[in-house]
Amino acid sequence: MISTTSSNSTSRQFWEIYRWSLLRHRGLGILYAVLLFLCFPLWGIVMRLGGDPNLSRDIAGTLGGLLILLVMPLAMLFTLILSGMLFDFMLKKRVSDLYYSLPVTRTALLLGRYCAGLTLIIAPVLLNSLIALALAPDLAWREFHGATLGNALLFFVAGVVLAFSFSMFIAVCSGTLLDMMISIFAINVACPVTLMLATWMASQLLLGFYGFPSVEALLVITPYASPWLCVLEQRWQALFWLVLYAVALLVAALLLHRRRPSESAGGGFAFTAPPVVIR
């Protein structure tokens, strides 16, 4: 990679980083694609072989439920794993010194890895969805939880982009991989649980009070739950805010990465604001 990224063209540097990142993590991508096949279209194949070949409607209903119950959780898990593997170069002292010494702009270095991660997460889901669609054409128009396959995939892709953008933003602000993972957990799990407990306590103590956080508010504090929130609520306004939030996180991460001190790797947070907000 050192010899192939010596071009002064930022776009050339981006594509070299992108291809190199895909090749380096192709093993994990293949494992992810196989697991998706086992928990999504394989069920349709078993139903097709074991029952009436005309039961496309039943197969579509089963696959639609599996998309929400198995595919989305698996995708979010690999989103977390890949974000840790792709952005750890900023979080280890010797590794960060090596990468930042390369004749590559920081924008190309981060954006190439970001796009490679999204490709590794989204492409296998779309491929397996096409296989499932071939097994059960009713998936194209059959609704499950109020969403067709096309709508569900649209919300899923937007949710993955948000979760991955959020992870990259946290990585840019963090000093170690442990700080990054704790911050992601704290924001996506501890914050919504605390908010829901506070809402429940207020409804018990205050007569006539009933309130629940809006979908848009939950998207801000739980990016990793965004696919389920959008699919179950079927609110296109929430999808708009989801995309806007993801773009804002991406732009913020790219700008902060330019200013990130290289010596912050392996230490505390790279910036003073993130730990204050998380706490």
Side-chain angles (χ1 to χ4, degrees):
M1 187 186 70
I2 297 178
S3 60
T4 59
T5 55
S6 58
S7 171
N8 292 326
S9 172
T10 302
S11 60
R12 173 69 182 275
Q13 294 172 1
F14 164 80
W15 285 113
E16 292 294 342
I17 294 294
Y18 174 78
R19 286 195 291 265
W20 180 80
S21 299
L22 286 179
L23 289 174
R24 185 181 181 188
H25 300 286
R26 64 183 180 274
L28 183 62
I30 294 173
L31 173 63
Y32 170 57
V34 171
L35 290 177
L36 285 176
F37 177 79
L38 294 177
C39 67
F40 190 33
L42 181 62
W43 289 71
I45 295 176
V46 172
M47 293 180 67
R48 181 70 76 183
L49 295 176
D52 187 347
N54 296 320
L55 295 179
S56 179
R57 184 178 298 274
D58 292 338
I59 297 176
T62 301
L63 294 179
L66 291 174
L67 178 66
I68 296 176
L69 296 177
L70 292 180
V71 174
M72 289 184 179
L74 184 62
M76 290 298 102
L77 175 61
F78 270 81
T79 298
L80 181 63
I81 295 173
L82 266 176
S83 63
M85 296 177 67
L86 285 168
F87 304 131
D88 68 341
F89 75 95
M90 298 180 287
L91 309 174
K92 298 177 180 178
K93 181 62 177 174
R94 293 183 179 178
V95 178
S96 66
D97 290 341
L98 172 63
Y99 277 95
Y100 290 142
S101 65
L102 297 176
V104 181
T105 64
R106 289 197 172 197
T107 298
L109 183 60
L110 188 62
L111 195 58
R113 287 170 168 264
Y114 172 80
C115 292
L118 289 180
T119 302
L120 289 170
I121 298 167
I122 296 173
V125 174
L126 297 181
L127 176 61
N128 280 280
S129 297
L130 289 176
I131 298 174
L133 190 61
L135 293 169
D138 285 353
L139 270 174
W141 59 82
R142 180 177 174 85
E143 292 189 357
F144 40 92
H145 294 277
T148 62
L149 178 64
N151 290 346
L153 288 177
L154 177 62
F155 288 128
F156 163 79
V157 170
V160 167
V161 173
L162 173 59
F164 203 65
S165 301
F166 172 79
S167 297
M168 183 174 70
F169 175 80
I170 294 296
V172 171
C173 297
S174 301
T176 64
L177 184 60
L178 180 62
D179 288 338
M180 173 187 170
M181 293 301 170
I182 291 177
S183 300
I184 292 175
F185 175 82
I187 295 174
N188 284 275
V189 179
C191 286
V193 169
T194 302
L195 180 61
M196 291 180 182
L197 286 177
T199 303
W200 177 81
M201 291 182 62
S203 65
Q204 297 297 314
L205 297 175
L206 302 176
L207 184 62
F209 175 84
Y210 177 78
F212 190 79
S214 65
V215 175
E216 290 80 5
L218 289 175
L219 288 176
V220 174
I221 59 177
T222 56
Y224 272 77
S226 54
W228 291 280
L229 292 173
C230 288
V231 170
L232 296 178
E233 290 290 331
Q234 280 291 288
R235 292 176 58 177
W236 293 96
Q237 182 181 2
L239 180 63
F240 168 78
W241 288 110
L242 186 152
V243 173
L244 188 64
Y245 184 26
V247 172
L249 287 173
L250 172 61
V251 173
L254 292 174
L255 293 176
L256 288 175
H257 186 237
R258 294 180 181 179
R259 300 178 54 189
R260 175 186 168 90
S262 58
E263 61 271 13
S264 61
F269 281 87
F271 304 96
T272 57
V276 175
V277 174
I278 293 173
R279 290 168 186 169

